[in-house]
């Protein structure tokens, strides 16, 4: 099955996201999908909170004149902004944009709050819906008109050094987040022509989907003093001078969810990382006539034992076990535990891993410990697999000083290996002309195993 | 100070909400305010999850024809809907409403999901932003154009009995929620002329603000089969017949936050219920020359001890203690613990309660237990106070068969006692004419201490 078909299919079958809403690019997070989102964003929130970011909530509507304040910024967004023009039947005096992102909103407010160096650093974030009038083909959780979950962080600093340090913190923090949700990535500095509108430069996280195309899953922007000058974010330095703040912003969206689904899924369905799995362990009683009570009693006991540490679900539906296995494999539940009369007699239980399909018979008396062990192997394995998956999609080519020869080589490598092609960094081909020549995207400047490359790929 | 002045003032001073945004009725949840919101909605989520509600996320935009599908419903909202008419510079073919509430969105999707009685009950909720083009005076967290936090639950059931039972569950659940955040309430069945557009009937929670005006803080609607018929929510019953589902919906908004702030605050600032306090205990070192190290060491130890159970903040700013006391009183931190050299010598610490101002000297060796005790007294006291506050604002008047005499009596009672006036229930005055006569609002039919009343009040 083609990846894109698999993807649409699994969103529906596993109960992640329903796109049958009568607006293109707008859909519904279903209960199971929402739980994955909830656990994922809880991890992200925790990482942000621990590093001194404060969660806030800013308005969704932006007056036209405010959105247009930063020239480059508005140029980057004006074609894809939704406009509110009426309240009831009354035309509004000032058109209101649905936020495509919140720089202008937040920096307008920061001006009220930042007066003196002791007000800095200011590190804020919010998790909100944002909007893009996408004219391209939309794709659930990937390219939406309503991005349902956009975590955007915005920081302001007194010095360039603090600002640069913040970029590092953000990169580490995002790296940790993607590690925890088992999404592999490479980081690139986006080329000038592809940076965030209004930024000094943009660092980006890309992952690679099973079809070999890359997906941008997180961006970190160094805004320098550009927005600060536009929004007059001036403060008094310790020396009593005036200076503009230095700013960064960084974002992660629903694509994080799309990616953890896409990277690990297989032909049977989802394979969900333990920490974000709505159900971590499913219990299936094997009922035989006359033994139902014994089994149900034992499995309920097991349920309470495991519930102390895991999100457990006891599937006591009156259908045959095979159908249950199938249902939970589709939903990607990490572990399945089967318990039947013979297991009970033997003081055992059967654990089946979703990631490897491995069946492991364990001593019942020791089951919590056994489960913990297997869970940690599962986690480890998903991380290793994630790593392998991205490595298999990285191809280093030798540099050729002849541009045409180089571009042919890159095109051939892209055709054969897909994924990301790494070209030893060279200014002479680091430009949009080369990008056109290879008919693929330049992700940017990428450090890989200590060396500098130009990374190129076909992207989503 | 007048209540409304106090309210605006405290939102700013305590760092709850900033309304200096250039759109009327749109503002910013500041970090401290956002934390109160986060903890409050976590309690609400927990109550919903425990009673089998599933969290979801539905689109924010509603096509005009979908919003207009239910006739009464749209009539109730059409004057206050924001309309998106353009994407970039392109006029949209169908105007899109910013959701004022999500019945139409959700029920359109429910049609895709509900086929047979085993699909029921369906109990969904979401926490989202909603929009009203308010032309009236807006008020932060109370009457907003962007309601930043609307928890809306929507359920569908196979029978009228299940639906009625759901109304009871919702009322209990909301009651428990308001109890936990220490907001007192009375429940009324809203009169026909004030029910939710499209509902069979509406039950509402009202609290009373310090100025004696009531605030609607939660509503529970029995929709019967009205929306189901419009949205063709038909299912196959166990007998193989076709029937329409029975529906309920219920909502709680930012007003919950506004209310917990308003009901308990005093002239010094906020008094926050423990469970939703961003900081539950603040530690203030009393530093004297030469003893700084001893005190700081001890208070850091105290910090780690208490952190295991509470949200603690050690205020080690280099300002005098008096200013610290003041800051944390404004922010309503439940307990303050002061520790100085003499306390350490005596093996003691001083605990100050924000709710009563009481100062309690406790044995340091036993401090975690002492704090637990005081925290539970604080909780208890806030609940008792909440109860007293609403009771003091309830006035029962005797019935008069002469309408004019009755209305004069009610008006006099309103003038003298403010709050809610309870009139023994009588059909003859349960109408809009009487409402006009008394120049106040009929909240509805209220059961109080086992008797039936018509409740009237001046409302926000």
């Amino acid at each position: 099955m083609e990846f894109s078909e698999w993807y649409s299919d699994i969103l529906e079958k596993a109960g992640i996201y329903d796109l049958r809403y009568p607006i293109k690019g707008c859909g519904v997070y279903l209960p199971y999908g929402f739980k994955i989102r909830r656990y994922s964003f809880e991890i992200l929130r925790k990482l942000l909170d621990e590093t001194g970011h404060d969660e806030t909530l800013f308005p969704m509507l932006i007056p036209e004149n405010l959105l247009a304040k930063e020239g480059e910024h508005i140029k980057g967004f004006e074609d894809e902004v939704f406009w509110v023009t009426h309240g009831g039947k009354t035309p509004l005096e000032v058109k209101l944009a649905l936020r495509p992102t919140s720089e202008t909103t937040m920096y307008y407010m920061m001006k009220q709050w930042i007066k003196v160096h002791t007000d800095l650093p200011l590190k804020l974030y919010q998790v909100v819906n944002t909007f893009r009038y996408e004219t391209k083909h939309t794709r659930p959780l990937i390219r939406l008109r309503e991005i349902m979950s956009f975590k955007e962080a915005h920081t302001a600093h007194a010095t360039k050094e603090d600002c640069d340090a913040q970029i590092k913190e953000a990169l580490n923090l995002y790296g940790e987040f993607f590690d925890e949700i088992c999404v592999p990535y490479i980081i690139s500095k986006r080329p000038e022509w592809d940076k965030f509108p209004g930024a000094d430069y943009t660092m980006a996280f890309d992952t690679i989907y099973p079809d070999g195309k890359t997906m941008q899953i997180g961006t970190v922007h160094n805004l320098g003093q550009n927005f600060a000058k536009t929004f007059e974010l001036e403060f008094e330095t310790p020396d009593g001078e005036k200076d503009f703040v230095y700013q960064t912003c960084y974002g992660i969206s629903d694509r994080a969810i799309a990616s953890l689904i896409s990277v690990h899924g297989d032909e049977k369905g989802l394979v969900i990382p333990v920490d974000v799995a709505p159900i971590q362990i499913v219990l299936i009683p094997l009922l035989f006539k006359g033994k139902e009570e014994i089994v149900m009693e034992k499995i309920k006991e097991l349920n309470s034992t495991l519930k102390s540490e895991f999100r457990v679900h006891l599937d006591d539906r009156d259908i045959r076990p095979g159908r249950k296995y199938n249902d939970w494999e589709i939903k990607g539940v990490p572990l399945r535990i089967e318990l039947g009369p013979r297991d009970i007699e033997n003081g055992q239980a059967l654990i089946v891993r979703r990631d490897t399909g491995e069946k492991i018979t364990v001593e019942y008396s020791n089951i919590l410990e056994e489960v913990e062990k297997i869970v940690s192997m599962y986690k480890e394995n998903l991380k290793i697999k994630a790593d392998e998956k991205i490595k298999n999609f990285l191809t280093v080519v030798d540099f050729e000083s002849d541009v045409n020869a180089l571009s042919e080589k890159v095109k051939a490598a892209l055709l054969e290996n897909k994924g990301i092609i790494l070209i030893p960094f060279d200014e002479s081909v680091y430009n949009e002309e080369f990008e056109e020549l290879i008919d693929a995207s330049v992700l940017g400047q990428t450090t890989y195993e200590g060396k500098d490359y130009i990374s190129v790929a076909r992207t989503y």
Side-chain angles (χ1 to χ4, degrees), chain A residues 168-326:
Chain A
K168 275 193 197 129
E169 179 182 282
L171 292 172
N172 286 337
L173 195 154
Y174 278 12
E176 214 175 309
F177 171 66
F178 288 121
D179 286 347
E180 288 201 32
I181 66 168
C182 298
V183 171
Y185 56 85
I186 72 159
I187 301 175
S188 304
K189 182 177 182 178
R190 286 277 183 264
E192 271 298 298
W193 65 91
D194 196 26
K195 68 181 186 186
F196 180 71
D200 272 1
Y201 65 85
T202 289
M203 305 296 294
F205 287 73
D206 294 290
T207 191
I208 309 183
Y209 273 26
D211 59 2
K213 283 163 78 178
T214 61
M215 176 70 70
Q216 173 175 300
I217 50 173
T219 47
V220 177
H221 313 293
N222 192 325
L223 305 178
Q225 295 181 310
N226 305 335
F227 280 89
K229 285 175 183 164
T230 306
F231 285 87
E232 300 164 33
L233 298 180
E234 256 186 326
F235 69 100
E236 199 182 307
T237 68
D239 308 332
E241 308 281 302
K242 288 274 176 193
D243 197 4
F244 291 104
V245 301
Y246 295 80
Q247 291 177 281
T248 79
C249 64
Y250 30 105
I252 278 180
S253 73
D254 297 306
R255 285 184 173 189
I257 313 302
S259 300
L260 73 87
I261 286 172
S262 300
V263 169
H264 292 288
D266 62 22
E267 70 288 349
K268 285 185 180 171
L270 299 179
V271 178
I272 308 192
V274 174
D275 292 328
V276 299
I279 297 170
Q280 296 170 318
I281 303 169
V282 63
L283 305 181
I284 315 264
L286 305 178
L287 299 173
F288 293 90
K289 214 159 179 163
K291 307 276 188 175
E292 291 93 340
E293 241 174 81
I294 301 168
V295 172
M296 284 312 296
E297 197 181 311
K298 200 75 182 168
I299 209 161
K300 278 180 189 165
E301 175 194 287
L302 180 57
N303 194 14
S304 354
T305 306
L306 297 175
K307 260 197 160 57
S308 63
E309 283 190 38
F310 299 100
R311 294 187 285 269
V312 192
H313 176 72
L314 167 56
D315 185 353
D316 57 3
R317 289 178 297 168
D318 188 17
I319 55 174
R320 61 184 175 75
R323 241 189 83 194
K324 295 183 184 180
Y325 301 163
N326 192 45

Side-chain angles (χ1 to χ4, degrees), chain A residues 26-268:
Chain A
C26 294
V28 180
Y29 258 110
L30 299 170
Y32 194 73
F34 190 86
K35 285 198 182 76
I36 299 175
R37 173 196 186 267
R38 194 198 264 188
Y39 295 123
S40 299
F41 279 84
E42 264 174 24
I43 292 172
L44 188 52
R45 278 191 165 99
K46 191 158 175 285
L47 289 167
L48 288 160
D49 292 348
E50 283 170 359
T51 46
H53 295 75
D54 278 313
E55 190 166 359
T56 52
L57 204 48
F58 284 75
M60 196 276 278
L61 296 167
I62 311 176
E64 185 178 22
N65 48 346
L66 185 55
L67 187 66
K69 217 173 154 84
E70 215 290 325
E72 275 184 61
H73 184 68
I74 180 70
K75 255 188 272 166
F77 288 108
E78 63 189 346
D79 290 338
E80 48 183 41
V81 167
F82 280 106
W83 291 106
V84 177
T85 58
H86 287 73
K89 295 190 174 70
T90 315
L92 300 178
E93 280 175 37
V94 178
K95 282 199 294 184
L96 304 174
L98 308 193
R99 66 179 154 223
T101 170
S102 302
E103 282 71 18
T104 54
T105 311
M106 288 204 173
Y107 306 161
Y108 176 89
M109 293 307 295
M110 281 190 185
K111 180 161 170 58
Q112 330 286 326
W113 304 329
I114 298 171
K115 305 290 174 201
V116 56
H117 65 96
T118 49
D119 296 328
L120 301 169
L122 191 60
K123 294 162 70 173
L124 305 178
Y125 76 98
Q126 62 177 0
V127 181
V128 295
N129 50 353
T130 62
F131 298 84
R132 304 277 167 100
Y133 178 62
E134 289 288 352
T135 47
K136 287 188 233 172
H137 185 63
T138 58
R139 214 180 268 273
L141 302 182
I142 290 174
R143 190 178 299 282
L144 295 167
R145 286 193 172 176
E146 177 177 8
I147 295 150
M148 304 195 91
S149 328
F150 186 49
K151 190 289 299 164
E152 50 178 331
H154 296 261
T155 72
H157 306 270
T159 65
K160 187 175 178 314
E161 291 68 41
D162 288 356
C163 185
D164 292 345
Q166 190 58 40
I167 294 288
K168 275 193 197 129
E169 179 182 282
L171 292 172
N172 286 337
L173 195 154
Y174 278 12
E176 214 175 309
F177 171 66
F178 288 121
D179 286 347
E180 288 201 32
I181 66 168
C182 298
V183 171
Y185 56 85
I186 72 159
I187 301 175
S188 304
K189 182 177 182 178
R190 286 277 183 264
E192 271 298 298
W193 65 91
D194 196 26
K195 68 181 186 186
F196 180 71
D200 272 1
Y201 65 85
T202 289
M203 305 296 294
F205 287 73
D206 294 290
T207 191
I208 309 183
Y209 273 26
D211 59 2
K213 283 163 78 178
T214 61
M215 176 70 70
Q216 173 175 300
I217 50 173
T219 47
V220 177
H221 313 293
N222 192 325
L223 305 178
Q225 295 181 310
N226 305 335
F227 280 89
K229 285 175 183 164
T230 306
F231 285 87
E232 300 164 33
L233 298 180
E234 256 186 326
F235 69 100
E236 199 182 307
T237 68
D239 308 332
E241 308 281 302
K242 288 274 176 193
D243 197 4
F244 291 104
V245 301
Y246 295 80
Q247 291 177 281
T248 79
C249 64
Y250 30 105
I252 278 180
S253 73
D254 297 306
R255 285 184 173 189
I257 313 302
S259 300
L260 73 87
I261 286 172
S262 300
V263 169
H264 292 288
D266 62 22
E267 70 288 349
K268 285 185 180 171

